[in-house]
Short mmCIF file of all heavy atoms in Angstrom, two decimals:
data_model
loop_
_atom_site.label_atom_id
_atom_site.label_comp_id
_atom_site.label_asym_id
_atom_site.label_seq_id
_atom_site.Cartn_x
_atom_site.Cartn_y
_atom_site.Cartn_z
N MET A 1 0.84 -1.21 0.00
CA MET A 1 0.00 0.00 0.00
C MET A 1 0.87 1.25 0.00
O MET A 1 2.02 1.22 0.39
CB MET A 1 -0.90 0.00 1.24
CG MET A 1 -2.09 -0.93 1.13
SD MET A 1 -3.18 -0.58 -0.27
CE MET A 1 -3.91 0.97 0.26
N ALA A 2 0.27 2.33 -0.44
CA ALA A 2 0.99 3.59 -0.51
C ALA A 2 0.02 4.74 -0.28
O ALA A 2 -1.19 4.56 -0.39
CB ALA A 2 1.67 3.74 -1.87
N MET A 3 0.59 5.88 0.01
CA MET A 3 -0.21 7.08 0.12
C MET A 3 -0.19 7.79 -1.23
O MET A 3 0.68 7.53 -2.07
CB MET A 3 0.36 8.01 1.19
CG MET A 3 0.51 7.37 2.56
SD MET A 3 -1.03 6.80 3.29
CE MET A 3 -1.73 8.36 3.84
N SER A 4 -1.14 8.69 -1.45
CA SER A 4 -1.11 9.48 -2.67
C SER A 4 -1.56 10.91 -2.37
O SER A 4 -2.22 11.18 -1.37
CB SER A 4 -1.97 8.86 -3.76
OG SER A 4 -3.34 9.05 -3.48
N ILE A 5 -1.16 11.82 -3.26
CA ILE A 5 -1.47 13.24 -3.09
C ILE A 5 -2.57 13.63 -4.07
O ILE A 5 -2.47 13.36 -5.26
CB ILE A 5 -0.21 14.09 -3.35
CG1 ILE A 5 0.85 13.79 -2.29
CG2 ILE A 5 -0.57 15.58 -3.37
CD1 ILE A 5 2.21 14.42 -2.56
N ASN A 6 -3.62 14.25 -3.54
CA ASN A 6 -4.68 14.78 -4.39
C ASN A 6 -4.25 16.15 -4.88
O ASN A 6 -4.19 17.11 -4.10
CB ASN A 6 -5.98 14.88 -3.59
CG ASN A 6 -7.14 15.38 -4.43
OD1 ASN A 6 -6.95 15.97 -5.51
ND2 ASN A 6 -8.34 15.17 -3.95
N ALA A 7 -3.93 16.24 -6.17
CA ALA A 7 -3.39 17.49 -6.73
C ALA A 7 -4.37 18.65 -6.59
O ALA A 7 -3.95 19.81 -6.55
CB ALA A 7 -3.02 17.28 -8.19
N ASP A 8 -5.66 18.36 -6.53
CA ASP A 8 -6.65 19.44 -6.40
C ASP A 8 -6.56 20.12 -5.03
O ASP A 8 -6.88 21.30 -4.91
CB ASP A 8 -8.07 18.89 -6.58
CG ASP A 8 -8.34 18.50 -8.03
OD1 ASP A 8 -7.64 19.01 -8.92
OD2 ASP A 8 -9.25 17.69 -8.26
N ASP A 9 -6.13 19.38 -4.01
CA ASP A 9 -6.04 19.94 -2.66
C ASP A 9 -4.63 20.42 -2.33
O ASP A 9 -4.44 21.23 -1.42
CB ASP A 9 -6.45 18.90 -1.62
CG ASP A 9 -7.92 18.53 -1.73
OD1 ASP A 9 -8.70 19.40 -2.16
OD2 ASP A 9 -8.28 17.38 -1.42
N CYS A 10 -3.63 19.92 -3.01
CA CYS A 10 -2.24 20.25 -2.72
C CYS A 10 -1.92 21.69 -3.13
O CYS A 10 -2.23 22.12 -4.24
CB CYS A 10 -1.32 19.29 -3.47
SG CYS A 10 0.43 19.65 -3.28
N THR A 11 -1.30 22.42 -2.20
CA THR A 11 -0.92 23.81 -2.47
C THR A 11 0.55 23.91 -2.88
O THR A 11 1.10 25.01 -2.97
CB THR A 11 -1.14 24.67 -1.21
OG1 THR A 11 -0.31 24.15 -0.17
CG2 THR A 11 -2.60 24.66 -0.78
N THR A 12 1.20 22.78 -3.11
CA THR A 12 2.61 22.66 -3.45
C THR A 12 3.51 23.40 -2.46
O THR A 12 4.49 24.03 -2.84
CB THR A 12 2.93 23.14 -4.90
OG1 THR A 12 2.63 24.52 -5.05
CG2 THR A 12 2.12 22.35 -5.91
N CYS A 13 3.16 23.30 -1.18
CA CYS A 13 3.98 23.96 -0.14
C CYS A 13 5.33 23.27 0.03
O CYS A 13 6.28 23.87 0.50
CB CYS A 13 3.22 23.98 1.19
SG CYS A 13 3.10 22.37 2.00
N GLY A 14 5.40 21.98 -0.30
CA GLY A 14 6.65 21.26 -0.22
C GLY A 14 6.98 20.66 1.13
O GLY A 14 8.01 20.00 1.29
N ALA A 15 6.12 20.84 2.11
CA ALA A 15 6.41 20.37 3.47
C ALA A 15 6.58 18.85 3.54
O ALA A 15 7.38 18.34 4.32
CB ALA A 15 5.30 20.81 4.42
N CYS A 16 5.84 18.13 2.74
CA CYS A 16 5.87 16.67 2.82
C CYS A 16 7.18 16.08 2.28
O CYS A 16 7.66 15.07 2.78
CB CYS A 16 4.70 16.07 2.07
SG CYS A 16 4.58 16.62 0.35
N GLU A 17 7.73 16.72 1.27
CA GLU A 17 8.87 16.13 0.56
C GLU A 17 10.04 15.79 1.49
O GLU A 17 10.58 14.70 1.45
CB GLU A 17 9.34 17.07 -0.54
CG GLU A 17 10.44 16.47 -1.40
CD GLU A 17 10.88 17.42 -2.51
OE1 GLU A 17 10.60 18.63 -2.43
OE2 GLU A 17 11.51 16.92 -3.46
N CYS A 18 10.40 16.74 2.34
CA CYS A 18 11.58 16.51 3.19
C CYS A 18 11.26 15.63 4.40
O CYS A 18 12.18 15.18 5.09
CB CYS A 18 12.19 17.83 3.62
SG CYS A 18 11.05 18.95 4.41
N GLU A 19 9.98 15.36 4.66
CA GLU A 19 9.61 14.51 5.80
C GLU A 19 9.64 13.04 5.46
O GLU A 19 9.64 12.18 6.34
CB GLU A 19 8.21 14.87 6.31
CG GLU A 19 8.09 16.23 6.95
CD GLU A 19 8.94 16.36 8.20
OE1 GLU A 19 9.10 15.36 8.91
OE2 GLU A 19 9.45 17.47 8.44
N CYS A 20 9.65 12.73 4.17
CA CYS A 20 9.53 11.33 3.77
C CYS A 20 10.83 10.55 3.99
O CYS A 20 11.84 10.86 3.37
CB CYS A 20 9.12 11.24 2.30
SG CYS A 20 8.98 9.53 1.75
N PRO A 21 10.78 9.53 4.84
CA PRO A 21 11.99 8.74 5.09
C PRO A 21 12.38 7.85 3.93
O PRO A 21 13.50 7.34 3.87
CB PRO A 21 11.61 7.91 6.32
CG PRO A 21 10.13 7.79 6.25
CD PRO A 21 9.63 9.06 5.63
N SER A 22 11.48 7.67 2.98
CA SER A 22 11.74 6.79 1.84
C SER A 22 12.07 7.56 0.57
O SER A 22 12.22 6.95 -0.49
CB SER A 22 10.51 5.92 1.57
OG SER A 22 10.08 5.29 2.73
N LYS A 23 12.13 8.88 0.68
CA LYS A 23 12.39 9.73 -0.49
C LYS A 23 11.42 9.39 -1.63
O LYS A 23 11.80 9.31 -2.79
CB LYS A 23 13.83 9.57 -0.97
CG LYS A 23 14.88 9.87 0.09
CD LYS A 23 15.61 11.16 -0.20
CE LYS A 23 16.68 11.51 0.82
NZ LYS A 23 16.13 11.94 2.10
N ALA A 24 10.16 9.19 -1.25
CA ALA A 24 9.15 8.78 -2.23
C ALA A 24 8.41 9.96 -2.84
O ALA A 24 7.65 9.76 -3.79
CB ALA A 24 8.15 7.83 -1.56
N ILE A 25 8.63 11.16 -2.30
CA ILE A 25 7.87 12.32 -2.77
C ILE A 25 8.76 13.25 -3.57
O ILE A 25 9.86 13.60 -3.15
CB ILE A 25 7.28 13.11 -1.57
CG1 ILE A 25 6.44 12.18 -0.70
CG2 ILE A 25 6.43 14.28 -2.07
CD1 ILE A 25 5.95 12.81 0.60
N ARG A 26 8.26 13.63 -4.75
CA ARG A 26 9.02 14.61 -5.52
C ARG A 26 8.08 15.43 -6.40
O ARG A 26 6.94 15.03 -6.67
CB ARG A 26 10.10 13.92 -6.36
CG ARG A 26 9.57 13.05 -7.46
CD ARG A 26 10.67 12.21 -8.06
NE ARG A 26 10.16 11.27 -9.04
CZ ARG A 26 10.13 11.49 -10.35
NH1 ARG A 26 10.61 12.59 -10.85
NH2 ARG A 26 9.64 10.59 -11.17
N MET A 27 8.60 16.56 -6.83
CA MET A 27 7.87 17.44 -7.73
C MET A 27 8.00 16.89 -9.14
O MET A 27 9.10 16.56 -9.59
CB MET A 27 8.48 18.84 -7.64
CG MET A 27 7.94 19.84 -8.63
SD MET A 27 6.25 20.32 -8.36
CE MET A 27 6.46 21.65 -7.16
N LYS A 28 6.87 16.76 -9.81
CA LYS A 28 6.89 16.24 -11.17
C LYS A 28 5.87 17.02 -11.99
O LYS A 28 4.67 16.97 -11.69
CB LYS A 28 6.57 14.74 -11.17
CG LYS A 28 6.79 14.07 -12.50
CD LYS A 28 6.44 12.59 -12.39
CE LYS A 28 6.62 11.90 -13.72
NZ LYS A 28 6.11 10.52 -13.68
N GLY A 29 6.34 17.74 -12.97
CA GLY A 29 5.43 18.50 -13.82
C GLY A 29 4.61 19.53 -13.08
O GLY A 29 3.46 19.74 -13.40
N GLY A 30 5.20 20.11 -12.03
CA GLY A 30 4.51 21.17 -11.31
C GLY A 30 3.64 20.70 -10.16
O GLY A 30 3.05 21.52 -9.47
N VAL A 31 3.53 19.39 -9.97
CA VAL A 31 2.75 18.88 -8.83
C VAL A 31 3.60 17.87 -8.05
O VAL A 31 4.50 17.24 -8.61
CB VAL A 31 1.44 18.19 -9.28
CG1 VAL A 31 0.49 19.19 -9.93
CG2 VAL A 31 1.72 17.04 -10.22
N TYR A 32 3.30 17.75 -6.76
CA TYR A 32 4.00 16.76 -5.96
C TYR A 32 3.33 15.40 -6.12
O TYR A 32 2.10 15.29 -6.10
CB TYR A 32 4.00 17.17 -4.49
CG TYR A 32 5.07 18.18 -4.18
CD1 TYR A 32 4.78 19.53 -4.14
CD2 TYR A 32 6.39 17.77 -3.96
CE1 TYR A 32 5.77 20.47 -3.87
CE2 TYR A 32 7.38 18.69 -3.69
CZ TYR A 32 7.07 20.04 -3.66
OH TYR A 32 8.06 20.94 -3.41
N VAL A 33 4.16 14.39 -6.29
CA VAL A 33 3.63 13.03 -6.44
C VAL A 33 4.37 12.09 -5.51
O VAL A 33 5.53 12.31 -5.14
CB VAL A 33 3.75 12.52 -7.90
CG1 VAL A 33 2.85 13.30 -8.83
CG2 VAL A 33 5.19 12.55 -8.36
N ILE A 34 3.69 11.01 -5.13
CA ILE A 34 4.29 9.97 -4.30
C ILE A 34 4.51 8.74 -5.17
O ILE A 34 3.58 8.27 -5.82
CB ILE A 34 3.38 9.62 -3.11
CG1 ILE A 34 3.27 10.83 -2.18
CG2 ILE A 34 3.92 8.40 -2.36
CD1 ILE A 34 2.30 10.64 -1.03
N ASP A 35 5.73 8.24 -5.17
CA ASP A 35 6.05 7.02 -5.93
C ASP A 35 5.55 5.81 -5.13
O ASP A 35 6.07 5.52 -4.05
CB ASP A 35 7.57 6.94 -6.11
CG ASP A 35 7.99 5.73 -6.95
OD1 ASP A 35 7.17 4.80 -7.09
OD2 ASP A 35 9.13 5.73 -7.44
N PRO A 36 4.53 5.12 -5.65
CA PRO A 36 3.97 4.00 -4.90
C PRO A 36 4.95 2.84 -4.72
O PRO A 36 4.76 1.99 -3.84
CB PRO A 36 2.75 3.57 -5.74
CG PRO A 36 3.01 4.09 -7.10
CD PRO A 36 3.87 5.32 -6.94
N GLN A 37 5.98 2.81 -5.56
CA GLN A 37 6.99 1.76 -5.42
C GLN A 37 7.91 2.03 -4.23
O GLN A 37 8.52 1.11 -3.68
CB GLN A 37 7.85 1.67 -6.69
CG GLN A 37 7.09 1.45 -7.97
CD GLN A 37 6.35 0.12 -7.99
OE1 GLN A 37 6.83 -0.85 -7.44
NE2 GLN A 37 5.17 0.10 -8.59
N LYS A 38 8.01 3.30 -3.84
CA LYS A 38 8.92 3.66 -2.74
C LYS A 38 8.18 3.88 -1.43
O LYS A 38 8.76 3.70 -0.36
CB LYS A 38 9.68 4.94 -3.11
CG LYS A 38 10.70 4.77 -4.20
CD LYS A 38 11.47 6.08 -4.40
CE LYS A 38 12.52 5.96 -5.48
NZ LYS A 38 13.13 7.28 -5.78
N CYS A 39 6.93 4.31 -1.49
CA CYS A 39 6.18 4.62 -0.26
C CYS A 39 5.90 3.36 0.54
O CYS A 39 5.37 2.39 0.01
CB CYS A 39 4.87 5.31 -0.61
SG CYS A 39 3.84 5.61 0.86
N THR A 40 6.26 3.39 1.81
CA THR A 40 6.03 2.25 2.71
C THR A 40 4.93 2.58 3.72
O THR A 40 4.72 1.82 4.66
CB THR A 40 7.31 1.94 3.48
OG1 THR A 40 7.65 3.10 4.26
CG2 THR A 40 8.46 1.62 2.54
N GLU A 41 4.27 3.73 3.53
CA GLU A 41 3.34 4.26 4.53
C GLU A 41 4.04 4.47 5.87
O GLU A 41 3.43 4.45 6.91
CB GLU A 41 2.10 3.38 4.68
CG GLU A 41 1.23 3.38 3.44
CD GLU A 41 -0.12 2.70 3.65
OE1 GLU A 41 -0.49 2.41 4.79
OE2 GLU A 41 -0.78 2.44 2.64
N CYS A 42 5.36 4.63 5.80
CA CYS A 42 6.20 4.87 6.97
C CYS A 42 6.20 3.70 7.97
O CYS A 42 6.53 3.87 9.14
CB CYS A 42 5.81 6.16 7.69
SG CYS A 42 6.18 7.64 6.76
N GLU A 43 5.83 2.53 7.49
CA GLU A 43 5.80 1.37 8.36
C GLU A 43 7.18 1.09 8.94
O GLU A 43 8.18 1.05 8.23
CB GLU A 43 5.34 0.14 7.56
CG GLU A 43 4.10 -0.51 8.17
CD GLU A 43 3.68 -1.73 7.37
OE1 GLU A 43 4.27 -2.80 7.57
OE2 GLU A 43 2.77 -1.56 6.55
N GLY A 44 7.24 0.90 10.24
CA GLY A 44 8.48 0.59 10.92
C GLY A 44 9.35 1.79 11.20
O GLY A 44 10.37 1.69 11.88
N VAL A 45 8.96 2.95 10.69
CA VAL A 45 9.75 4.17 10.87
C VAL A 45 9.01 5.16 11.76
O VAL A 45 9.60 5.82 12.60
CB VAL A 45 10.05 4.84 9.50
CG1 VAL A 45 10.89 6.09 9.68
CG2 VAL A 45 10.76 3.86 8.58
N ALA A 46 7.71 5.24 11.56
CA ALA A 46 6.89 6.17 12.35
C ALA A 46 5.52 5.55 12.56
O ALA A 46 5.12 4.62 11.86
CB ALA A 46 6.77 7.50 11.61
N ALA A 47 4.79 6.08 13.54
CA ALA A 47 3.49 5.52 13.89
C ALA A 47 2.43 5.86 12.86
O ALA A 47 1.40 5.19 12.77
CB ALA A 47 3.07 6.03 15.26
N ALA A 48 2.69 6.91 12.07
CA ALA A 48 1.71 7.33 11.07
C ALA A 48 2.46 7.88 9.87
O ALA A 48 3.63 8.28 10.00
CB ALA A 48 0.80 8.38 11.66
N PRO A 49 1.81 7.91 8.72
CA PRO A 49 2.45 8.50 7.54
C PRO A 49 2.89 9.94 7.82
O PRO A 49 2.06 10.80 8.12
CB PRO A 49 1.36 8.44 6.47
CG PRO A 49 0.51 7.27 6.88
CD PRO A 49 0.49 7.32 8.39
N GLN A 50 4.18 10.17 7.74
CA GLN A 50 4.73 11.49 8.08
C GLN A 50 4.27 12.58 7.13
O GLN A 50 4.05 13.72 7.53
CB GLN A 50 6.26 11.42 8.12
CG GLN A 50 6.77 10.48 9.21
CD GLN A 50 6.32 10.95 10.59
OE1 GLN A 50 6.87 11.90 11.13
NE2 GLN A 50 5.31 10.31 11.15
N CYS A 51 4.10 12.24 5.87
CA CYS A 51 3.65 13.24 4.89
C CYS A 51 2.25 13.74 5.25
O CYS A 51 1.97 14.94 5.21
CB CYS A 51 3.67 12.65 3.49
SG CYS A 51 2.77 11.09 3.33
N ASP A 52 1.39 12.81 5.62
CA ASP A 52 0.02 13.15 6.00
C ASP A 52 0.03 14.01 7.27
O ASP A 52 -0.73 14.97 7.39
CB ASP A 52 -0.77 11.86 6.23
CG ASP A 52 -2.25 12.10 6.41
OD1 ASP A 52 -2.76 13.14 5.96
OD2 ASP A 52 -2.92 11.23 7.00
N ASP A 53 0.90 13.67 8.20
CA ASP A 53 1.00 14.42 9.46
C ASP A 53 1.36 15.89 9.23
O ASP A 53 0.85 16.76 9.92
CB ASP A 53 2.07 13.80 10.38
CG ASP A 53 1.48 12.75 11.30
OD1 ASP A 53 0.29 12.39 11.11
OD2 ASP A 53 2.19 12.30 12.22
N VAL A 54 2.26 16.16 8.30
CA VAL A 54 2.71 17.54 8.11
C VAL A 54 1.89 18.32 7.08
O VAL A 54 1.98 19.54 7.02
CB VAL A 54 4.20 17.62 7.70
CG1 VAL A 54 5.09 17.02 8.77
CG2 VAL A 54 4.45 16.98 6.35
N CYS A 55 1.11 17.63 6.28
CA CYS A 55 0.37 18.34 5.22
C CYS A 55 -0.69 19.27 5.82
O CYS A 55 -1.59 18.81 6.51
CB CYS A 55 -0.30 17.34 4.28
SG CYS A 55 -1.23 18.17 2.96
N PRO A 56 -0.59 20.57 5.53
CA PRO A 56 -1.53 21.52 6.09
C PRO A 56 -2.87 21.56 5.38
O PRO A 56 -3.82 22.19 5.86
CB PRO A 56 -0.80 22.86 5.93
CG PRO A 56 0.07 22.68 4.73
CD PRO A 56 0.46 21.22 4.71
N SER A 57 -2.98 20.88 4.24
CA SER A 57 -4.22 21.00 3.48
C SER A 57 -4.99 19.68 3.32
O SER A 57 -5.95 19.63 2.56
CB SER A 57 -3.94 21.61 2.10
OG SER A 57 -2.91 20.90 1.46
N GLY A 58 -4.55 18.67 4.04
CA GLY A 58 -5.29 17.41 3.96
C GLY A 58 -5.31 16.79 2.58
O GLY A 58 -6.26 16.12 2.20
N ALA A 59 -4.23 16.99 1.84
CA ALA A 59 -4.21 16.53 0.46
C ALA A 59 -3.74 15.08 0.31
O ALA A 59 -3.81 14.52 -0.78
CB ALA A 59 -3.30 17.43 -0.37
N ILE A 60 -3.28 14.49 1.41
CA ILE A 60 -2.68 13.16 1.31
C ILE A 60 -3.60 12.11 1.94
O ILE A 60 -4.10 12.28 3.05
CB ILE A 60 -1.30 13.15 1.99
CG1 ILE A 60 -0.37 14.13 1.26
CG2 ILE A 60 -0.70 11.73 1.97
CD1 ILE A 60 1.00 14.28 1.90
N ALA A 61 -3.81 11.03 1.20
CA ALA A 61 -4.65 9.94 1.69
C ALA A 61 -4.11 8.63 1.15
O ALA A 61 -3.23 8.62 0.28
CB ALA A 61 -6.09 10.14 1.23
N LYS A 62 -4.65 7.55 1.66
CA LYS A 62 -4.25 6.24 1.14
C LYS A 62 -4.62 6.14 -0.34
O LYS A 62 -5.70 6.57 -0.74
CB LYS A 62 -4.97 5.12 1.92
CG LYS A 62 -4.24 4.68 3.17
CD LYS A 62 -4.96 3.46 3.75
CE LYS A 62 -4.47 3.12 5.14
NZ LYS A 62 -3.26 2.29 5.15
N ALA A 63 -3.73 5.57 -1.10
CA ALA A 63 -4.00 5.39 -2.53
C ALA A 63 -5.17 4.42 -2.70
O ALA A 63 -5.31 3.48 -1.94
CB ALA A 63 -2.76 4.87 -3.23
N ALA A 64 -6.00 4.70 -3.67
CA ALA A 64 -7.19 3.86 -3.89
C ALA A 64 -6.77 2.49 -4.41
O ALA A 64 -5.75 2.35 -5.05
CB ALA A 64 -8.11 4.52 -4.88
S1 SF4 B 1 3.67 7.60 3.93
FE1 SF4 B 1 5.81 7.83 4.59
S2 SF4 B 1 6.97 6.68 3.04
FE2 SF4 B 1 4.98 7.13 2.14
S3 SF4 B 1 5.22 9.04 1.03
FE3 SF4 B 1 4.44 9.54 3.08
S4 SF4 B 1 6.27 10.00 4.29
FE4 SF4 B 1 6.94 8.88 2.46
S1 SF4 B 2 2.47 18.94 2.40
FE1 SF4 B 2 0.45 18.72 1.42
S2 SF4 B 2 0.05 20.70 0.43
FE2 SF4 B 2 2.25 20.61 0.90
S3 SF4 B 2 3.23 19.79 -0.99
FE3 SF4 B 2 2.80 18.05 0.37
S4 SF4 B 2 0.76 17.30 -0.29
FE4 SF4 B 2 1.01 19.36 -1.10
#
């Protein structure tokens, strides 16, 4: 499983990118995206997805 960013809600503040322990978040074509191959949902590293914790706009949720 992985988290994903809803581009409609994301303000491209960049706060999530540096919080990711898996380096799964990057800017691509003007929007932030999460690489589902790299995202571990922070399992074993933190109690909750760190990107979701820091996102001020609630743009991050579990990928469908
Ligand atoms: S859930 Fe964790 S591993 Fe996945 S993108 Fe967010 S910070 Fe990175
Ligand atoms: S923290 Fe939230 S609003 Fe900021 S870039 Fe990441 S997903 Fe977008």
Side-chain angles (χ1 to χ4, degrees):
M1 283 301 290
M3 304 299 283
S4 74
I5 295 171
N6 182 342
D8 289 339
D9 294 330
C10 177
T11 61
T12 63
C13 72
C16 55
E17 185 179 18
C18 54
E19 292 297 327
C20 179
S22 309
K23 303 251 180 288
I25 305 173
R26 67 191 175 96
M27 174 68 86
K28 190 180 178 188
V31 295
Y32 279 97
V33 293
I34 295 175
D35 183 341
Q37 304 297 325
K38 290 184 180 173
C39 176
T40 61
E41 293 190 12
C42 291
E43 237 181 81
V45 181
Q50 296 299 284
C51 53
D52 189 23
D53 269 10
V54 299
C55 180
S57 52
I60 298 176
K62 272 187 191 276

